[in-house]
Amino acid sequence: NETEKPSGEKSCLLHGLALIGVRSVLGIENVSGSPFNIQRSLRIPNLTYDEVGKMFGWYEKESGQKVEPDVVEKLFYETRGQPGLVSWFGELLTETYNKTPEKPVTMRHFDYAFRMAVKALPNNNIINIISKAKEEPCRETVLKFFRTDQKTGFAFDDPLLNFLYMNGVIDTEETDDDLYVRFSSPFVQKRLFNYFSRELFPEVGRVTELFEDLSDTLTTDGLHVGSLVRRYEKYLRKNRDWLLRDAPRRKDLRVFEAVYHFNLYEYLRRFLGNKNARVWPEFPTGNGTIDLIIDYEGTRYGLELKSYSDERAYRESLGQAARYGKSLGLSVIWLVVFVEHIPDEYRKKYETDHIDGETGVTVRPVFAATGG
């Protein structure tokens, strides 16, 4: 073991090694170079949390610059250890945006680098993923992955799922009794969410009228999310025809569920754009859950998005929202439930605060009727 030896004392130096492939490298384990090795492949696993930590440990040892543990933890969460993305973010943090190498790399540095990575910086890995996801027949399949009423089962024999898996768009989630699709990492899911929301809704029209009274939503106490969703519901009803004219649809001609999530996100970005606020999506599970986080006037608000399917699923979503609210450190979280239509008596029945017995978090449901 020569790991701790200086380079000059090592018996062998590996100057460089390139492995080409998103998921695997065909034939790499065949020494002879046989023409019959095409069935063999070397699986390229994601890095573990410990391995990512060691990489930054090596950097700290060589550079003398401290990297806060929270940075490593957040980087691993966003990339799930995908080697190319880990290295890219490492480069952004330690080189590109490392303006003060004499000071530790903190979460403030990570947040800035991450915002740039989401919005402004090219990355060949991400460019390839988006190029695969946006074209048919993959486009329709990827849009289904954003649904919140159920997960998509994974089968390697499905040619589209196989293709998306081999190109790093999706990964798998294993449960006790089945295998499901999940996006390959939260960062990849964010980039795809941003791409589709902008591509589908480059224009959202007027979100408020001139001289409109917004005091029911932007109150002296902060942001009233319930009133904000009511405003969105009215906006959607008023502009639905032109907004959704070219929206992707299922075989039954209904608009894909995710389209409304993209539209709400773009609406919120426009509505809060000039009001000292920030809106961004989070995907805590990689499938079946979409959350929008709003920072407004120094206060954080959590919105968990769901589509109504039945009573049981709705009750489960209350507990799920409460657990996510607790993970955010929030005492109150909003559950925004999309439904085609909801009679007034059912709105009154369901839109009541739910105090979760396990977490103590208050869940405030609000329904958004899409009209079809």
Side-chain angles (χ1 to χ4, degrees):
N1 186 350
E2 300 183 338
T3 304
E4 302 300 326
K5 289 185 178 181
S7 297
E9 298 179 9
K10 292 181 179 179
S11 59
C12 178
L13 293 177
L14 179 64
H15 290 281
L17 174 65
L19 298 178
I20 311 301
V22 177
R23 291 287 184 187
S24 61
V25 183
L26 292 177
I28 194 69
E29 59 199 14
N30 188 288
V31 178
S32 67
S34 166
F36 304 109
N37 69 0
I38 194 169
Q39 84 282 1
R40 302 183 183 183
S41 65
L42 173 67
R43 178 77 168 87
I44 304 176
N46 281 359
L47 299 169
T48 65
Y49 178 77
D50 287 342
E51 288 170 338
V52 174
K54 287 179 180 178
M55 290 173 68
F56 279 93
W58 297 333
Y59 170 78
E60 289 180 326
K61 185 176 181 180
E62 292 182 2
S63 69
Q65 184 179 26
K66 180 73 174 176
V67 179
E68 291 186 350
D70 287 350
V71 172
V72 179
E73 183 176 345
K74 184 65 172 175
L75 186 152
F76 181 78
Y77 165 79
E78 290 290 350
T79 64
R80 296 191 75 224
Q82 203 276 350
L85 292 179
V86 169
S87 296
W88 185 46
F89 275 105
E91 181 183 51
L92 295 179
L93 290 168
T94 62
E95 296 181 24
T96 308
Y97 298 120
N98 191 11
K99 306 302 182 184
T100 54
E102 71 280 1
K103 297 180 180 180
V105 178
T106 67
M107 281 302 299
R108 182 174 63 84
H109 299 101
F110 179 86
D111 289 342
Y112 178 78
F114 189 79
R115 285 198 300 272
M116 296 300 291
V118 168
K119 295 184 176 181
L121 299 178
N123 176 274
N124 288 337
N125 191 348
I126 298 300
I127 291 172
N128 175 68
I129 284 174
I130 292 176
S131 71
K132 299 296 190 295
K134 71 179 184 179
E135 300 295 341
E136 294 294 0
C138 293
R139 175 186 169 91
E140 180 176 326
T141 301
V142 172
L143 287 174
K144 291 178 181 177
F145 298 155
F146 282 101
R147 65 190 303 175
T148 60
D149 58 345
Q150 67 182 59
K151 299 178 182 180
T152 302
F154 181 84
F156 201 76
D157 291 336
D158 184 309
L160 286 180
L161 298 184
N162 184 326
F163 177 81
L164 292 169
Y165 175 82
M166 295 302 294
N167 280 279
V169 181
I170 61 173
D171 205 337
T172 59
E173 175 195 19
E174 185 175 355
T175 65
D176 292 337
D177 58 354
D178 213 337
L179 200 62
Y180 294 99
V181 170
R182 63 167 295 155
F183 284 97
S184 55
S185 72
F187 177 69
V188 165
Q189 193 170 1
K190 286 183 175 74
R191 288 294 299 260
L192 287 170
F193 187 92
N194 283 346
Y195 170 80
F196 282 117
S197 66
R198 291 175 181 273
E199 190 256 349
L200 292 172
F201 299 106
E203 298 292 338
V204 295
R206 187 183 292 276
V207 297
T208 59
E209 299 299 328
L210 293 175
F211 310 111
E212 184 176 357
D213 182 10
L214 305 178
S215 60
D216 65 327
T217 303
L218 307 176
T219 71
T220 56
D221 296 325
L223 181 68
H224 193 286
V225 176
S227 297
L228 181 57
V229 175
R230 287 282 177 272
R231 286 182 174 276
Y232 169 72
E233 193 177 47
K234 293 177 182 177
Y235 155 84
L236 180 60
R237 187 163 55 243
K238 178 180 179 180
N239 298 281
R240 177 185 170 84
D241 288 346
W242 71 266
L243 269 176
L244 304 180
R245 183 182 300 119
D246 300 319
R249 297 174 183 270
R250 306 181 319 200
K251 287 183 171 57
D252 61 5
L253 300 184
R254 283 185 167 86
V255 173
F256 278 106
E257 172 196 344
V259 170
Y260 296 112
H261 302 161
F262 299 142
N263 182 243
L264 174 62
Y265 173 60
E266 291 297 331
Y267 172 87
L268 294 177
R269 289 181 63 243
R270 303 301 201 283
F271 185 90
L272 297 169
N274 298 319
K275 300 176 178 64
N276 192 27
R278 179 172 165 243
V279 185
W280 71 95
E282 288 289 348
F283 308 96
T285 64
N287 54 24
T289 305
I290 296 176
D291 299 286
L292 298 180
I293 310 298
I294 301 174
D295 276 351
Y296 174 73
E297 296 288 353
T299 300
R300 178 158 295 181
Y301 302 85
L303 287 68
E304 180 146 317
L305 310 186
K306 281 290 181 182
S307 289
Y308 186 86
S309 57
D310 55 46
E311 176 82 16
R312 179 180 178 181
Y314 171 73
R315 295 300 170 189
E316 290 177 352
S317 67
L318 292 172
Q320 179 177 292
R323 289 188 292 274
Y324 184 61
K326 182 179 180 181
S327 73
L328 294 175
L330 300 176
S331 60
V332 176
I333 189 169
W334 292 83
L335 178 64
V336 181
V337 185
F338 288 84
V339 65
E340 289 188 359
H341 303 282
I342 180 169
D344 290 341
E345 61 269 25
Y346 284 96
R347 190 186 289 273
K348 184 177 181 180
K349 172 185 175 182
Y350 286 114
E351 289 186 346
T352 57
D353 286 2
H354 168 78
I355 302 176
D356 185 67
E358 178 185 343
T359 64
V361 173
T362 297
V363 181
R364 291 183 173 164
V366 56
F367 279 69
T370 62

